[in-house]
Amino acid sequence: MTFIESIKVCFSKYIDFNGRASRSEYWWFVLFIVLATIVADAISYKLSGLFSLATLLPSIAVATRRLHDTDRSGWWQLIALIPVLGWIAIIYFLVQEPKEPNRFGAAPTSEALSET
């Protein structure tokens, strides 16, 4: 999945917490969020705050789908509330290989992504 495809898919599935997201989909979207936040912050703190608020739900949704790809519940994101160790654990979960077979559905494919 490319950078642009990832952004399109993540915004088209704005509040879709079902299914799975590939590693490339998740990490390209994270890169977009980081870069856009830096640019928005350089322009205005208010703009940066608005951007962060506007991308909060898509970020949670794609992280949930990414955790589904590793056969974990999206509720595992709450572990990030634990200082330091929680962040390390959630990053570890998000970088893992997909698990097959998986209770959250079929693995994301490039054909399925181009149809959305």
Side-chain angles (χ1 to χ4, degrees), residues 20-23 65-71 98-99 102 108:
R20 297 165 64 175
S22 66
R23 280 192 296 183
R65 293 193 312 271
R66 178 69 200 122
L67 287 168
H68 287 176
D69 199 37
T70 63
D71 205 23
K99 301 281 194 260
N102 193 313

Side-chain angles (χ1 to χ4, degrees), residues 11-115:
F11 280 120
S12 69
K13 295 181 176 182
Y14 195 82
I15 54 171
D16 184 6
F17 294 89
N18 298 315
R20 297 165 64 175
S22 66
R23 280 192 296 183
S24 61
E25 177 183 343
Y26 177 76
W27 290 109
W28 281 125
F29 191 67
V30 168
L31 178 64
F32 164 72
I33 296 292
V34 168
L35 294 175
T37 301
I38 290 169
V39 170
D41 197 34
I43 296 169
S44 164
Y45 290 122
K46 289 181 183 179
L47 180 61
S48 178
L50 280 172
F51 178 77
S52 296
L53 188 59
T55 57
L56 180 64
L57 278 177
S59 298
I60 294 170
V62 74
T64 298
R65 293 193 312 271
R66 178 69 200 122
L67 287 168
H68 287 176
D69 199 37
T70 63
D71 205 23
R72 288 183 177 81
S73 169
W75 289 104
W76 275 102
Q77 291 179 76
L78 294 175
I79 201 169
L81 297 174
I82 300 170
V84 185
L85 292 178
W87 282 71
I88 293 169
I90 194 70
I91 290 171
Y92 174 74
F93 293 158
L94 293 170
V95 299
Q96 287 186 328
E97 293 281 334
K99 301 281 194 260
E100 297 296 337
N102 193 313
R103 62 189 161 134
F104 293 103
T109 62
S110 56
E111 292 111 25
L113 296 174
S114 61
E115 294 172 5

